[in-house]
Amino acid sequence: MDDWGRQAFQAPPRPNVSSGPVIRPPLPVRSISSPVGFASHTPSGPGMSFGQDLLEKDQIYQWILDLSSSDGGIREQALMELSKKREAIPDLAPLLWHSFGTIAALLQEIVNIYPVINPPNLTGQQSNRVCNALALLQCVASHPETRSAFLQAHIPYFLYPFLHTVSKSRPFEYLRLTSLGVVGALVKTDEPDVINFLLTTEIIPLCLRIMESGSELSKTVATFILQKILLDDTGLAYICQTYERFSHVATVLGKMVVTLAKEPSVRLLKHVVRCYLRLSDNLRAREALRQCLPDQVKDNTFAGCLKDDNTIKKWLTQLLQNLTDTSGISVSAP
């Protein structure tokens, strides 16, 4: 972009972004030898007896204990079993967080992979194993009882080396996608503390790079994360604080529009349009978008693929109205 937008981005107010939280150790140890948290959630059915119910609980506790085993094979099996069943165990996140050594064991699984990501020598088996560990961390990030402690421990930092990788092989793509899933689980909660934490990290440039060069699915998740950051008032102010930040975001979104015009993806386009619409809520960004919004967004390039999606069509209409309105009042989507 040229200098047309720099005047709109002079002397911006500094958003109120708190500094990163202090790293704290996991909460005090809780014994997992008793069936904590499963009283009303344990899967049951007409053919399941009380004895079978307890057996299922005991197996879950054993798998959690096995995560700290010195036997790599036992740990790998426990990772796989808990990852597969995580959605059927509502209180798995508190059990993982409060059991002795479990989070440390999951972080060890992540750190063990660092040597094979640069140079890129990650195998499929290694990728599957660490992604199972990441899936359990996503479980912890999603749970309201453990999310705050998860952030206070700065655990997302352990994932960022995976987001820095550029290899397009399947093991690396799976690794990046699963890592993005952990961050996506955090922003999905729409909690200001999550956004404030992420703004102190490098997540925005990492997402922008993946949006530019990742697979369609990775691009979709990365754009979703950016969208959630923009939908937060502090996140919008942060991105529009300087011309350079806005320019970086607008440039990547523009490249994505050009690519989508050739290779349409409705689910990805939906997030791109929502990002543009949210940017138009900022007066300086709106002035800049009047000059740099891609022609494909203004004309009927996407009319064919959007004929059955009224939501995106509504967002596009609102976006164009915001850019043509000089009153300073924008129409924002819910």
Side-chain angles (χ1 to χ4, degrees), residues 18-38:
S18 62
S19 60
V22 177
I23 299 178
R24 298 178 181 174
L27 299 177
V29 176
R30 175 187 294 173
S31 170
I32 60 171
S33 59
S34 58
V36 179
F38 282 85

Side-chain angles (χ1 to χ4, degrees), residues 118-301:
N118 188 20
N121 295 312
L122 183 68
T123 66
Q125 182 179 0
Q126 290 172 323
S127 179
N128 287 336
R129 176 165 174 160
V130 71
C131 284
N132 284 334
L134 290 169
L136 295 182
L137 288 179
Q138 179 176 336
C139 177
V140 176
S142 302
H143 199 284
E145 292 183 26
T146 53
R147 186 183 306 119
S148 178
F150 183 87
L151 289 176
Q152 289 174 359
H154 285 201
I155 290 178
Y157 281 111
F158 286 88
L159 281 56
Y160 288 1
F162 299 156
L163 299 180
H164 273 286
T165 61
V166 295
S167 172
K168 295 186 180 297
S169 68
R170 180 170 295 185
F172 276 96
E173 181 59 34
Y174 186 32
L175 180 63
R176 281 191 297 271
L177 183 60
T178 311
S179 300
L180 285 170
V182 179
V183 182
L186 286 171
V187 299
K188 197 173 183 179
T189 64
D190 295 320
E191 293 183 358
D193 287 347
V194 171
I195 303 301
N196 286 336
F197 169 80
L198 292 177
L199 291 180
T200 66
T201 75
E202 56 182 331
I203 191 61
I204 293 177
L206 285 174
C207 283
L208 290 173
R209 185 167 71 175
I210 293 171
M211 289 163 58
E212 202 168 357
S213 61
S215 68
E216 180 190 333
L217 192 51
S218 289
K219 286 181 178 181
T220 302
V221 180
T223 311
F224 169 78
I225 293 170
L226 177 66
Q227 172 188 318
K228 284 294 189 177
I229 292 174
L230 282 168
L231 289 175
D232 181 89
D233 288 342
T234 303
L236 177 64
Y238 177 86
I239 288 176
C240 296
Q241 182 182 17
T242 67
Y243 171 79
E244 286 71 21
R245 289 178 188 168
F246 167 82
S247 176
H248 192 185
V249 171
T251 299
V252 172
L253 289 175
K255 290 179 180 179
M256 294 178 73
V257 168
V258 173
T259 301
L260 286 167
K262 302 173 183 177
E263 304 170 5
S265 167
V266 174
R267 64 180 177 181
L268 180 53
L269 179 62
K270 182 176 183 178
H271 296 303
V272 171
V273 172
R274 190 65 185 93
C275 287
Y276 272 128
L277 178 57
R278 179 54 174 163
L279 284 170
S280 72
D281 288 338
N282 180 277
L283 291 176
R284 290 172 294 156
R286 188 188 316 168
E287 182 63 31
L289 284 174
R290 290 191 178 108
Q291 305 297 324
C292 71
L293 189 71
D295 291 336
Q296 293 89 338
V297 178
K298 304 175 187 177
D299 57 28
N300 294 320
T301 298

